[in-house]
């Protein structure tokens, strides 16, 4: 059941990403999905969930990808241990599966998308450029050519595809936040799965870890 959920989320995540990658181009206008507050907006990033990065350059990206591999291995090991416990709740296993699926979905992009979408690489697009890489490509802007530094490509270096964006702003009467975007990040199905899993663990930890809660009370 748990790994069935993982597989399902992974399939949905990758189908959406592949559809976006093959039907949208950089700088295409966003497409409203629900009113004017929820849009489809294709971007790529070199980081993790919601575009968060772990340092910059080749080593930052490589470190992030290796961290993902280790984290996924640890989560799988943890889930397998929990499955053997008779008292474990199915809901908790499913929630853990959501986190695993999300992490694996974004890792898949970094591992294989530079090979799957080899012909889609455009060195003149901002998310494919990175200072200090030492790898140069020629770009032409308005008839003027220049050499730009582009990111490393290959296994563990691929960009993550994002597409969903909330277009909501805080009411102007709210101090400090008024007029700013409620949630500016652009995200994908994998990010959503990770967020749901983490939030549920935080909200329902007393149910998922009853023994730990009892030990704290006794102490």
């Amino acid at each position: 059941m748990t790994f069935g959920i993982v597989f399902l989320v992974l399939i949905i995540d990758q189908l959406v990403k592949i559809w976006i990658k093959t039907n949208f181009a950089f700088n295409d206008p966003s497409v409203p999905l629900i009113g004017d507050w929820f849009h489809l907006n294709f971007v790529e990033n070199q980081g993790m969930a919601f575009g968060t990065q772990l340092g910059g350059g080749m080593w930052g990206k490589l470190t992030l990808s290796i961290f993902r591999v280790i984290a996924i291995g640890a989560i799988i090991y943890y889930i397998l241990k929990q499955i053997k416990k008779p008292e474990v709740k199915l809901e908790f296993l499913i929630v853990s599966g959501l986190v695993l699926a999300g992490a694996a979905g974004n890792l898949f992009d970094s591992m294989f998308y530079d090979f799957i979408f080899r012909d889609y690489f455009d060195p003149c697009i901002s998310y494919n450029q990175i200072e200090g890489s030492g790898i140069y490509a020629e770009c032409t802007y308005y008839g003027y050519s220049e050499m730009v530094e582009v990111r490393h490509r290959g296994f563990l270096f691929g960009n993550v595809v994002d597409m969903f964006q909330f277009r909501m702003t805080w009411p102007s009467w709210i101090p400090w936040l008024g007029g700013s975007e409620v949630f500016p990040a652009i995200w994908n199905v994998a990010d959503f799965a990770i967020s749901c899993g983490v939030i549920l663990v935080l909200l329902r930890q007393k149910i998922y870890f009853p023994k730990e809660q009892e030990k704290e009370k006794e102490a």
Side-chain angles (χ1 to χ4, degrees):
M1 176 73 176
T2 304
F3 289 102
I5 295 293
V6 173
F7 183 73
L8 177 62
V9 173
L10 272 174
I11 291 296
I12 295 172
D13 176 64
Q14 290 302 311
L15 286 177
V16 172
K17 287 175 177 175
I18 291 171
W19 180 76
I20 289 291
K21 184 79 172 171
T22 54
N23 287 276
F24 288 78
F26 179 67
N27 275 341
D28 275 356
S30 63
V31 178
L33 292 179
I34 304 176
D36 195 41
W37 62 271
F38 187 49
H39 282 230
L40 204 60
N41 187 10
F42 167 52
V43 299
E44 294 188 18
N45 74 77
Q46 297 181 33
M48 45 188 173
F50 306 113
T52 306
Q53 296 190 16
L54 188 63
M58 179 189 74
W59 292 110
K61 176 64 177 180
L62 185 59
T63 301
L64 174 58
S65 294
I66 293 174
F67 170 77
R68 277 192 180 127
V69 173
I70 295 173
I72 288 170
I75 295 172
I76 292 174
Y77 175 75
Y78 178 76
I79 290 176
L80 291 175
K81 284 191 65 177
Q82 294 301 310
I83 289 175
K84 296 177 181 179
K85 297 180 180 180
E87 71 275 11
V88 69
K89 292 183 171 17
L90 177 60
E91 179 187 336
F92 174 64
L93 293 176
I94 292 175
V95 167
S96 301
L98 289 176
V99 177
L100 172 60
N106 284 336
L107 177 64
F108 189 92
D109 297 17
S110 296
M111 292 173 70
F112 302 116
Y113 273 23
D114 274 354
F115 303 105
I116 297 173
F117 300 104
R118 182 180 295 275
D119 296 333
Y120 285 71
F121 184 84
D122 186 345
C124 301
I125 295 177
S126 59
Y127 55 68
N128 285 327
Q129 298 177 12
I130 185 169
E131 293 184 3
S133 69
I135 305 172
Y136 289 87
E138 184 177 2
C139 287
T140 302
Y141 303 101
Y142 305 105
Y144 173 74
S145 296
E146 67 173 333
M147 300 300 291
V148 298
E149 286 185 289
V150 296
R151 65 177 179 82
H152 289 76
R153 299 182 64 200
F155 188 68
L156 297 179
F157 286 105
N159 287 334
V160 175
V161 177
D162 294 326
M163 72 292 296
F164 298 120
Q165 184 179 30
F166 291 113
R167 292 288 185 87
M168 296 181 292
T169 56
W170 293 103
S172 58
W173 52 266
I174 297 180
W176 300 293
L177 296 175
S180 61
E181 292 185 77
V182 173
F183 189 74
I186 303 175
W187 44 280
N188 56 39
V189 174
D191 296 337
F192 181 71
I194 294 172
S195 299
C196 287
V198 171
I199 290 171
L200 284 170
V201 168
L202 292 175
L203 293 177
R204 296 176 63 79
Q205 57 180 309
K206 291 184 179 180
I207 296 174
Y208 297 157
F209 311 109
K211 288 186 177 180
E212 283 76 359
Q213 300 297 327
E214 291 176 6
K215 289 179 181 178
E216 289 180 3
K217 289 181 180 179
E218 291 175 0

